[in-house]
Amino acid sequence: MVGKEKALPGQLPLEREVEVAGSQVLQTPVDTMLEAQLQTQQRSSQNGQEVTSLWSSGFRMKLEAVTPFLGKYRPFVGRCCQTCTPKSWESLFHRSIMDLGFCSVILVKEENTSREWALRDLPPALGAVPRFRGWLVRRLCCFLWSLEQHIPPCQDAPQKIMESTGVQNVISGRAPGGAGEGQVPSLVKKDVQRILGHIQAPPRPFLLRLFSWAMLRFLNCLFLNVQLHKGQMKMVHKAAQAGSPLVLLSTHKSLLDGILLPFVLLSQGLGVLRVAWDPRACSPILRALLKKLGGLFLPSEANLSLDSSEGVLARAVVQAALEQLLLSGQPLLIFLEEPPGTQGSRLSALGQTWLGLVVQAVQVGIVPDAMLVPVAVTYDRVPDAPRDTYHALPPLGLWTGALAVLRSLRGWGCSHRVCIRVHLAQPFSLQEYTINARSCWGSRQTLEQLLQPIVLGQCTLVPDTEKEQEWTPVTGPLLALKEEDQLLVRMLSRHVLNACVASSAVMSTAIMATLLLFKHRKGVLLSQLLGEFSWLTEETLLRGFDVGFSGQLRCLVQHTLSLLRAHVALMRVHQGDLLVVPRPGPGLMHLARLSAGLLPAFLSEAVGACAVRGLLAGRVPPEGPCELQGIELLSQKELYRQILLLLHLLPQDLLLLQPCQSSYCYCQEVLDRLIQCGLLVAEETPGSRPACDTGRQHLSAKLLWKPSGDFTDSDSDDFEEAEGRYFRLSQQSRCPDFFLFLCRLLSPPLKAFAQAATFLHEGQLPDTESGYVEQLFQFLQATAQEEGFFECADLNLAISAIWTFRDLGVLRQTPSPAGPVLHLSSTFASRDNQEKLEQFIRQFICS
């Protein structure tokens, strides 16, 4: 276990989470590890045999405790943006909350209920058998805890919605589509009641208490723990006490998020959380139940055209319902990501619609302000991850969900139990963001304007502007807003989703999958894997990202391998060690999806490493020795250009850059990261002023009036002076391996894009968008079978490649009754230009 050392100011010792996660991992039944049957072919080259028991193959060895984390402290994550919301950054945070530590939400004891006194005062007859008292107390405490949850009384919301200004304008005919245009007001009122019934229903206190008790029992059976930082919860409580309604904006990794987060907030005293569900994900019976538990559903009529009378009425009712919800002070949960299993854009069109309604309510003054809370839920392994990720999931029914719960409970005694971390980032004011964020948006150009001339070799200068790329469709309620407000909602969505990802903890399965996929694809000894796991954990913590685990290193690796046993083979080798080998085949795609949880922590360095690779591609052969790469001088101007090209090529859904941060500023951040991690070393050319000589620097007017966000370690001088700076790749022993590791983190999307460029002259065009996606996906699968890179054979990567080529001007899209039809543009109809595109992409790929 980690040592009992005192935490430094502003840091959290890992020992506090050992009681939450580490001890739970150590208590995992040993017998369950014996059931992990790993079936692979015997490899003669290793001269070993695959083992079926982790414990009987070396884990029984008695070793001294290992401290796997540098300094044994974890960072406090989740601070809001200081550029866009400086007042919120100061007012809703205090350094003392960082030392509050973690708690397990599903751990309910006698002290968690105020009726503990009643159990102590039971008559002696009820406590005649002391050995049953603990069992009885635990059961009664869970029941009493569910009864004590505060559920505010339901107000007369339907009548207030009917009397709202927007609905009355429609009924009286003062708005388009109202009764004044031929409709009878009484019929319009019935339509209002019908639409309102589709949106919501009064929450039932009895069902909510029963649901809380059932969720507590279910979560205790299915998961080891549900961790929550008490300091983050204190920030949310402080924001709620300010009087503004809370709007929680969350990622969406599992369908379980929609019922887990209401349980967590109800247990922490924040009342009933109203969840904006996706109607496509639930059957009608399940929707009726969820509405009684506080769910909200957008009626289908709200997506009709702007001139439709039914659409106007539905949007007025939805807006009035949301305004009444905000006025009542009930917290609202909106998912910013599409449900799991959905192909296409990462950002949810439905989530942006609900967020647009909140923005509109604040702008018209219905509520003076709203506090936005970025939320994320991370799992060791997503419990309801779809096995078939290539087709949309059918709506979840009530009986289907019940059967899934029964199957989960039946297998709860096995080693399937995982850990969950709920992250609540620092709340910030929507009003403050609206005022400050608009000044940070610069000019934008399409990807075709930015990259196509450079790809074709027509010019070398990268325009000093941002990329305009929007893949999320705009639905009816959002179309009703002004274009300026639509842009505000899109930028706000990306900003909050960036905050959600930045505050998410990296789970042990993400670290293990990254090591096996990008560093030890051909296998690694368990003794070496222990050290690699510790190293990557330290690197993650040093970059300001938290990890969702703690405990003894050997037990953590054992627990992680048991969760990945379907995708990993263990082979016994000489001297009692184990060889851990990723199973070849489609299981590598599962490891790639898990490793995506670690990419945000190393994204800046990965972009920088691929940019350096692109800069060296034309100078040093890829198979040449590392010493040759270290000889080459890399100018800062060339590095900036390569980083910008890669930023424009990669989709925004992957990068998730903050809208308030310019691309040039991000280039500086990438270069700083490469210098700080030791990959780049400054090279002082003859006759130039040393980089460390600050005595003769003059503060020019341009520097004095530079925006504060543009100051970084690599930007102490003017840009003109920076053009003369040069760097070399470091020749330290660890740098070549680390450089290759960073390049490989971005290899799945880049290789998929390169293969899509190769497929241009083989695909059958013109074709519908869905048809061409299926063509490309089959080509990626066939290439994966030949080359073994199954992580590239992903349907979402195929869609991203086609959409990127469409934005780049490689493919043109025309409407048709069967859907959008794609065909090659005249520019890229020639084979030469297709090869130029493929060569442009492959320069960033490190083999």
Side-chain angles (χ1 to χ4, degrees), residues 354-366:
W354 284 105
L355 182 57
L357 296 173
V358 174
V359 171
Q360 186 178 7
V362 173
Q363 287 187 340
V364 299
I366 300 298

Side-chain angles (χ1 to χ4, degrees), residues 237-473:
H237 274 291
K238 188 175 181 180
Q241 294 171 359
S244 299
L246 291 179
V247 179
L248 286 77
L249 305 173
S250 174
T251 58
H252 205 181
K253 303 303 180 187
S254 167
L255 292 176
L256 185 63
D257 296 347
I259 58 177
L260 174 65
L261 290 173
F263 167 79
V264 170
L265 265 70
L266 183 63
S267 66
Q268 300 301 310
L270 285 177
V272 179
L273 180 63
R274 310 302 296 270
V275 182
W277 287 90
D278 188 350
R280 302 170 297 174
C282 308
S283 67
I285 297 178
L286 185 58
R287 284 202 298 266
L289 176 61
L290 292 176
K291 281 188 286 189
K292 294 179 181 179
L293 294 174
L296 299 173
F297 293 89
L298 191 71
S300 58
E301 297 91 339
N303 293 320
L304 296 177
S305 60
L306 297 181
D307 57 354
S308 170
S309 59
E310 295 180 0
V312 171
L313 179 61
R315 287 188 286 272
V317 176
V318 171
Q319 181 68 40
L322 183 68
E323 291 172 357
Q324 291 302 319
L325 188 149
L326 296 176
L327 288 171
S328 65
Q330 301 179 66
L332 172 65
L333 172 63
I334 299 173
F335 291 109
L336 292 180
E337 288 183 322
E338 287 287 355
T342 304
Q343 280 78 41
S345 175
R346 180 176 183 177
L347 282 169
S348 169
L350 180 66
Q352 289 190 356
T353 297
W354 284 105
L355 182 57
L357 296 173
V358 174
V359 171
Q360 186 178 7
V362 173
Q363 287 187 340
V364 299
I366 300 298
V367 288
D369 198 2
M371 301 303 297
L372 305 184
V373 186
V375 181
V377 182
T378 52
Y379 303 82
D380 277 339
R381 185 182 61 190
V382 179
D384 59 347
R387 296 183 180 180
D388 182 12
T389 59
Y390 308 136
H391 300 89
L393 295 177
L396 180 63
L398 185 59
W399 295 112
T400 307
L403 290 176
V405 170
L406 291 177
R407 283 196 299 267
S408 301
L409 293 177
R410 185 181 63 179
W412 74 273
C414 303
S415 57
H416 294 69
R417 301 175 73 193
V418 299
C419 300
I420 303 180
R421 173 74 73 81
V422 179
H423 316 269
L424 301 173
Q426 183 178 5
F428 64 92
S429 165
L430 174 58
Q431 191 72 262
E432 183 185 10
Y433 177 86
T434 303
I435 296 173
N436 297 332
R438 298 181 191 271
S439 60
C440 301
W441 303 339
S443 59
R444 297 180 176 271
Q445 292 183 358
T446 64
L447 189 61
E448 181 176 356
Q449 296 170 325
L450 290 173
L451 274 190
Q452 190 182 100
I454 299 175
V455 171
L456 299 178
Q458 298 173 355
C459 73
T460 58
L461 183 63
V462 184
D464 185 17
T465 184
E466 303 301 314
K467 176 177 63 174
E468 176 64 34
Q469 187 178 63
E470 187 56 49
W471 290 351
T472 306

Side-chain angles (χ1 to χ4, degrees), residues 708-829:
S708 60
D710 287 349
F711 283 104
T712 58
D713 295 339
S714 63
D715 191 36
S716 57
D717 302 328
D718 292 335
F719 178 68
E720 290 77 6
E721 297 183 18
E723 292 184 3
R725 296 181 188 167
Y726 290 88
F727 301 90
R728 294 184 191 271
L729 275 180
S730 175
Q731 294 300 300
Q732 297 181 12
S733 59
R734 70 175 184 87
C735 287
D737 288 340
F738 189 47
F739 178 76
L740 292 176
F741 170 73
L742 292 175
C743 290
R744 289 168 182 164
L745 290 179
L746 288 176
S747 61
L750 290 175
K751 286 181 178 179
F753 283 20
Q755 292 174 12
T758 305
F759 184 68
L760 287 175
H761 68 277
E762 299 182 17
Q764 301 297 323
L765 287 174
D767 194 0
T768 61
E769 182 177 302
S770 58
Y772 192 66
V773 166
E774 186 65 26
Q775 287 188 53
L776 178 57
F777 178 58
Q778 292 177 0
F779 177 77
L780 293 178
Q781 287 181 314
T783 307
Q785 293 289 345
E786 297 174 1
E787 301 179 358
F789 295 104
F790 288 90
E791 63 270 21
C792 303
D794 188 275
L795 185 60
N796 277 322
L797 290 180
I799 296 174
S800 296
I802 290 176
W803 287 359
T804 300
F805 286 2
R806 182 190 61 193
D807 295 343
L808 187 57
V810 179
L811 300 173
R812 298 298 183 188
Q813 180 175 295
T814 56
S816 73
V821 175
L822 296 176
H823 58 87
L824 266 177
S825 65
S826 58
T827 305
F828 286 90

Side-chain angles (χ1 to χ4, degrees), residues 16-32:
R16 297 192 175 181
E17 196 186 0
V18 172
E19 300 176 357
V20 179
S23 60
Q24 297 279 14
V25 173
L26 294 177
Q27 293 171 3
T28 303
V30 177
D31 296 338
T32 62

Side-chain angles (χ1 to χ4, degrees), residues 489-565:
V489 172
R490 292 199 299 267
M491 296 299 183
L492 177 58
S493 301
R494 293 195 179 278
H495 203 294
V496 175
L497 191 56
N498 173 275
C500 295
V501 172
S503 62
S504 300
V506 178
M507 307 305 284
S508 60
T509 48
I511 292 180
M512 183 65 69
T514 303
L515 288 173
L516 295 177
L517 188 63
F518 299 119
K519 206 167 179 12
H520 302 290
R521 196 185 190 93
K522 296 182 180 181
V524 57
L525 293 175
L526 179 62
S527 55
Q528 182 183 355
L529 185 60
L530 294 174
E532 296 280 357
F533 189 92
S534 173
W535 163 78
L536 194 52
T537 302
E538 292 176 1
E539 293 289 339
T540 303
L541 291 171
L542 287 174
R543 283 159 177 78
F545 280 75
D546 198 5
V547 293
F549 54 88
S550 184
Q552 194 174 16
L553 176 59
R554 201 171 186 87
C555 294
L556 288 171
V557 174
Q558 173 188 2
H559 174 72
T560 306
L561 290 176
S562 68
L563 293 176
L564 298 177
R565 63 185 176 276

